[in-house]
Each structure stands twice: as C-alpha cells, then as structure tokens.
Amino acid sequence: MALDRDIAATAAQLEHQRVDDLRRSNAAALFEGLLMATANQLQPTQQDFEARVDILRRLEYLIREIDVCKGLAIKPFGSFLSNLYTPWGDLDITLMPLESAPLSRSKKTKILKSIHDALLQAGGAIRVQVLFRPRVPLLMFEDAWWRISCDISVSNTDAVFKSHALGLIVGMDLRCRQLIFLVKCWAKAQCINDPKMGTLNSYALSLLVIFHLQTRNPPILPPLSAIIGQVGASADGFQYLSRIAEFTERGFGKGNTSSVAELFVSFFGQFSAVEELWIQGLAVCTFRGQWGDKTTTDPSWASKNYAMLVEDPFDLSENCARSVHQGSLQHVCKAFRLSHELLCDKFSYWFLGKLKETLFRWPHASPRPCFHPSRPGIEQLREHASLNASRKNDRPEKQKKGKKQVKQ
C-alpha cells in the first residue's frame, strides 16, 4: 500500500472512505435495538457495585491492624471510580498517604509485602502475589468471596486523578459512556482487553472511543486540551467541571445526531481503515483531537519501537498502548477488521442472535477464544449468512421449473 508522507492525513482519508461505505448500508439502523438491549443486559447490577464496596471495606479493616500501613487510606481508581466498569472488571486500589510526604520505592514494597502476608493469614483471598514491576510495584489477588480480581498499588496519585477526570469528561455526552462500555464488552469477548497478554488496557480503549467522538463531523467531544489546559499545569476537578460546563452550555456535540449504534459501527470503520498505518508510526492524540505520528508525539517514543501509539492526554510522554507488541497487534487489528466487515454485511442482520453471540460472546458465560484465536465465529457467520441468502434466491427458480414440468 502506497503511503503519503503525512501519515495523519492518510489515516483521515482512509477513515472517511470507510465511513462512506457504512452510510450506504442500513447496518446501523438494524443494529440499534439489539445493541441497546445488550448494553442494558450487560450493565453492572447493584450487587456488582456492593461487592466492590465490600472488598474495599474489608481491606480498610485489614490494614488498620498493620503497623506499616498507619496513615494510609484506601482509594479506588480506574474504571470503578470513572463509573465505566463492567461486572467482570478488575478492581484497582491504591493506598494513599494522609500526609503529602512522598514514599520511597522500598517503603511501598514493604507495605505491599505486609498486606500480602495479612491477606494470606486472614483468608478470603486467593492467588495472592506481589509483582516488583519497574514502573509500579503491585499486589495482585482474587477475592475468594466475590471472585473479583484486585490490584493494589501505593501512592498512585496520578491514576486516581486521571480516573476522576476521565469520569467527568465522558459525562459530557451520554453516548460516550455507552459506547465505551460496549467497546469494552466487545474487547473482552474478543480477548484484546488484557495488557498482560500484550493487548489493550481499558484506559487505552476509552481513549480510542473519545478520539472517535472527537473526529466525527460535527465533533461530539472537543480536544481534551480545551478541558485539561496546558500540559503539566496544576488543575483539579472543579476547574475541569467549569470548563466542561462551558461546552455544555454552548450545546457542543448536540449538532451530531448519530445514534450509539451508528457510532459503534463507525468506530470499527475508523480503526480498521488505518490497520496498515500503525507500523508507520500513526498515533491517537486525544489531547489535540487529531491523528498524530512520531513527528508530533513525544520524541522518546522513536527509540522504543512501540507497535501502537495511544497518547495519554494527561501526560504526553506516556503511551497507553505500550503493552501491545508486533505479534499481538495483528490480533488486535484482525478483531477490529472482522467486526467491521461483519457489521457492514447486510446478511449478518438476518441472524441477530448469532451476531450478538459473535460480538459479545453472549451469553456472558459462554466460552471465550484463547489468545491469538483464528476467529472462526465471525467468518463462519458470514459464510452461513451468504449460504442462506443464495438458497433463498434460488428457491423461486426451482419452483418455476417445477411448475413448467407439471404443465408438460
């Protein structure tokens, strides 16, 4: 494929071609009812919420008895704090010091080891382990009662701030929260929502959705620079709320009347169109609300050989898709491409139950494919639909031939 020098411009051009193909079909209209019903059925229940609150409460009680944890408070972050969590999602927790004094890495490690020992002694947790990661030391375990995986870090202030800010941003338009939830459910079903296996984390998936809404015509969300302000400048939730209120009062995004189903389909159209550009250095930049590349992103990325670039709007030096490598990128791109082809195939909508099962592995308890699957489900569904279509078209001809034979 011949590429222009300006990779970002090429990405925009390819995406517009793919969206035009979508608009010529009636896929989005047929998909609306099924998609919204699925979203409602997959929403976390009150029990899912109370289960996470119960885990936080029991952990808070546990650390009270640990001397090294004195002066620390338990704070959730991630999708639970942003209200973007799924029933099967992990619970991210950090221990925040009540005083502003920074904690050394050795101190953080000692705290996590103490909690590790206390969890084993108290029971109620399985698969307990401490990971001494270069970036953030982590304690991982699964709650034995609720079967929810938990990750505990220490003094992860930035993560708490980002989670809170992200929750405010996605609240600007109801479609954003709904679309993020659906994409996360889809990604989990396709096995591309696990950074430990070289695929995308939930934060990166959320940024992909935000970027998609920023690049609609007219845009649904503004560039995040208009909300965050200057990179590195201090800001708080109140400043974000006031800036968001200004956009809301102006009716920003209301001029775009696309439904969630239309946006869901065009989301796959946008990112499947640029499949061959990731290796060229294409970057998702929600801070500017535009495609970028290695010439417009952090200079340090050029030497790190990243397979996929998703810029963190709160820290432009961070690549939120750094877990994706060359091998897993093919799997991620294939999931986007096959899902888009499926959604734009009119024959898929003859079998809505099968379509739902293929996209979301419905029901939720059904088996999920292993890592790097061949994805026969989507391909077989397309073949099944085409076969039935050909049989339906052949039926009248056979009936006519039969009538002619009777007359003779």
Side-chain angles (χ1 to χ4, degrees):
M1 174 182 177
L3 295 174
D4 296 338
R5 291 183 179 179
D6 189 344
I7 298 174
T10 304
Q13 181 181 3
L14 288 172
E15 190 265 325
H16 284 309
Q17 291 173 355
R18 190 63 62 89
V19 172
D20 287 342
D21 293 339
L22 167 66
R23 287 169 180 163
R24 285 193 289 269
S25 71
N26 61 349
L30 292 170
F31 196 41
E32 179 75 26
L34 175 69
L35 194 62
M36 296 313 298
T38 303
N40 291 334
Q41 291 170 319
L42 289 173
Q43 286 292 329
T45 63
Q46 181 65 25
Q47 185 182 56
D48 293 320
F49 174 80
E50 291 175 354
R52 286 158 175 78
V53 172
D54 178 60
I55 293 173
L56 294 171
R57 178 186 57 79
R58 286 189 282 118
L59 279 175
E60 188 173 8
Y61 179 79
L62 180 74
I63 67 170
R64 288 178 186 172
E65 308 300 320
I66 303 175
D67 291 337
V68 75
C69 293
K70 300 297 183 182
L72 297 176
I74 286 181
K75 298 286 185 182
F77 66 96
S79 58
F80 186 62
L81 181 58
S82 303
N83 195 24
L84 295 170
Y85 71 102
T86 57
W88 52 86
D90 297 351
L91 178 59
D92 295 311
I93 306 165
T94 189
L95 300 177
M96 298 293 294
L98 299 178
E99 300 178 357
S100 58
L103 298 177
S104 64
R105 181 180 177 84
S106 59
K107 177 72 171 179
K108 293 178 182 180
T109 302
K110 185 177 181 180
I111 291 170
L112 294 179
K113 283 183 176 178
S114 299
I115 299 175
H116 170 276
D117 296 341
L119 283 171
L120 292 177
Q121 184 177 1
I126 57 177
R127 289 188 276 277
V128 187
Q129 59 177 323
V130 179
L131 300 180
F132 302 102
R133 294 180 171 179
R135 296 174 62 87
V136 180
L138 203 63
L139 169 62
M140 303 175 64
F141 70 93
E142 182 179 321
D143 185 78
W145 179 260
W146 296 109
R147 294 294 179 178
I148 295 175
S149 297
C150 303
D151 296 342
I152 301 180
S153 57
V154 180
S155 193
N156 202 345
T157 309
D158 290 342
V160 175
F161 173 75
K162 291 178 185 178
S163 302
H164 179 61
L166 184 65
L168 296 176
I169 290 168
V170 301
M172 293 181 67
D173 193 291
L174 178 60
R175 292 170 292 182
C176 182
R177 189 178 299 279
Q178 292 172 329
L179 192 58
I180 288 176
F181 180 78
L182 286 166
V183 168
K184 287 177 64 175
C185 291
W186 166 84
K188 192 71 174 179
Q190 309 305 317
C191 292
I192 62 167
N193 182 206
D194 188 354
K196 300 181 186 70
M197 297 298 292
T199 56
L200 295 163
N201 59 44
S202 295
Y203 183 47
L205 286 167
S206 299
L207 292 177
L208 292 183
V209 172
I210 290 174
F211 181 78
H212 183 64
L213 300 185
Q214 290 174 328
T215 52
R216 298 307 85 207
N217 186 21
I220 296 174
L221 292 179
L224 297 191
S225 57
I227 298 171
I228 298 174
Q230 185 178 356
V231 177
S234 59
D236 54 35
F238 292 107
Q239 288 178 307
Y240 285 3
L241 280 173
S242 63
R243 292 167 184 166
I244 289 172
E246 293 178 8
F247 283 100
T248 304
E249 290 172 1
R250 286 160 41 193
F252 192 92
K254 302 302 180 184
N256 189 313
T257 58
S258 299
S259 67
V260 173
E262 290 171 332
L263 293 169
F264 184 80
V265 180
S266 62
F267 172 80
F268 293 106
Q270 180 177 37
F271 290 105
S272 63
V274 300
E275 176 179 341
E276 297 183 29
L277 299 184
W278 295 117
I279 196 173
Q280 303 295 326
L282 181 70
V284 170
C285 303
T286 55
F287 185 77
R288 295 183 294 117
Q290 299 175 357
W291 289 111
D293 54 38
K294 290 183 177 179
T295 65
T296 60
T297 53
D298 191 89
S300 65
W301 291 4
S303 61
K304 294 182 179 179
N305 198 30
Y306 288 132
M308 188 176 186
L309 302 177
V310 179
E311 188 180 70
D312 187 339
F314 301 98
D315 183 353
L316 303 186
S317 67
E318 289 291 325
N319 176 20
C320 299
R322 59 182 174 272
S323 58
V324 180
H325 51 76
Q326 294 297 338
S328 59
L329 177 63
Q330 296 178 10
H331 174 52
V332 171
C333 290
K334 186 176 182 180
F336 275 92
R337 176 175 15 92
L338 291 182
S339 294
H340 176 257
E341 291 174 359
L342 179 69
L343 291 170
C344 288
D345 188 340
K346 63 180 181 181
F347 296 128
S348 300
Y349 298 90
W350 292 8
F351 309 96
L352 291 178
K354 187 65 176 178
L355 177 62
K356 181 179 182 180
E357 176 187 345
T358 304
L359 289 173
F360 299 106
R361 293 286 158 186
W362 189 269
H364 174 58
S366 63
R368 298 176 184 276
C370 61
F371 185 60
H372 284 177
S374 60
R375 300 299 300 119
I378 291 178
E379 293 162 351
Q380 288 178 359
L381 176 57
R382 188 184 301 112
E383 293 174 2
H384 181 56
S386 300
L387 179 61
N388 278 270
S390 62
R391 287 175 178 173
K392 186 175 180 181
N393 292 334
D394 291 343
R395 200 170 299 151
E397 295 180 5
K398 292 180 180 179
Q399 290 175 352
K400 289 177 182 179
K401 289 180 181 179
K403 289 180 180 179
K404 288 180 180 180
Q405 291 175 355
V406 172
K407 287 181 180 180
Q408 291 176 353

